[in-house]
Amino acid sequence: MVCALLLASAALAGCDRWSGSGAEPRPAPVSTRPSGYGSVFLARDECSSFGTTSFTEVPCTSERAAARVIARYEGKVTDGPSCPATTDFVLHISESGPASDEDGDGAVPRGYACMRKLEPPHPGDPGGGGGPRTVVGDCVYGAGRGQVRETACDGTGRKRPEYRVTSAVTARSECPSATELYVELGGTRPVGCARPL
């Protein structure tokens, strides 16, 4: 019996919000097949190939290796821990039942892998224009309905940057007086103080 592990979506761009407004991720459906490499599919420090329709686990020394897992969690992204700040994109692992799995029970649990590309550019770096998290140093533009999206601070993105997140604080009242936009960051310092560019 040959079963495939499917990848429901890869969040290749961050989902940033104006103060408290929700935003939906921009998933790109892809599929992946277990390669038999490693005892846990896409465990921390393992690598994946890139493709337009599929990802596979490959040795990090392979010429096909394109990204490394910097954190791996079970469950849904919305229910689990946040990916590290330097994450470039997230792979959502959704279907169980492959022939080869990590513990021999015939199933790979739903989860997600926080990925970092092996070579630049890194959209998850401050100012890089993407990644699943907004961090200090990132630039954003108004996307309508009280939402913002990340874009590259150097202007190379599809949209021109309008604001830069200059600090992260626990409450809006702690932002500098020059703050014109509050961006939801999450974590222990959930408020991003942004200034116009």
Side-chain angles (χ1 to χ4, degrees):
M1 176 166 109
V2 177
C3 299
L5 178 67
L6 296 178
L7 187 62
S9 63
L12 299 176
C15 298
D16 308 316
R17 298 167 218 154
W18 293 86
S19 52
S21 297
E24 291 297 319
R26 292 175 278 185
V30 294
S31 67
T32 184
R33 293 174 182 80
S35 68
Y37 179 77
S39 60
V40 175
F41 182 71
L42 288 178
R44 184 179 166 93
D45 290 327
E46 291 184 344
C47 292
S48 74
S49 66
F50 261 152
T52 57
T53 60
S54 68
F55 290 81
T56 56
E57 184 176 290
V58 296
C60 291
T61 55
S62 167
E63 64 184 29
R64 294 179 52 224
R68 181 182 304 270
V69 179
I70 58 175
R72 171 78 151 79
Y73 303 108
E74 290 186 16
K76 297 179 183 178
V77 173
T78 54
D79 300 334
S82 295
C83 284
T86 57
T87 300
D88 287 332
F89 62 96
V90 178
L91 296 180
H92 299 265
I93 301 163
S94 64
E95 187 178 306
S96 62
S100 61
D101 67 10
E102 64 263 21
D103 59 8
D105 70 355
V108 171
R110 172 184 281 205
Y112 54 102
C114 307
M115 307 297 292
R116 175 94 171 154
K117 294 181 352 181
L118 295 179
E119 296 182 8
H122 293 287
D125 285 350
R133 295 185 57 192
T134 302
V135 297
V136 172
D138 279 340
C139 293
V140 298
Y141 66 92
R145 292 196 207 142
Q147 298 179 352
V148 297
R149 296 276 186 255
E150 281 186 47
T151 190
C153 289
D154 64 6
T156 59
R158 289 185 294 168
K159 296 286 188 168
R160 184 181 64 78
E162 296 174 355
Y163 299 90
R164 182 187 300 263
V165 179
T166 57
S167 60
V169 296
T170 57
R172 287 184 179 193
S173 60
E174 298 172 4
C175 284
S177 59
T179 300
E180 287 194 18
L181 176 71
Y182 304 98
V183 180
E184 184 178 312
L185 303 180
T188 59
R189 301 174 81 101
V191 178
C193 311
R195 294 182 180 180
L197 293 174

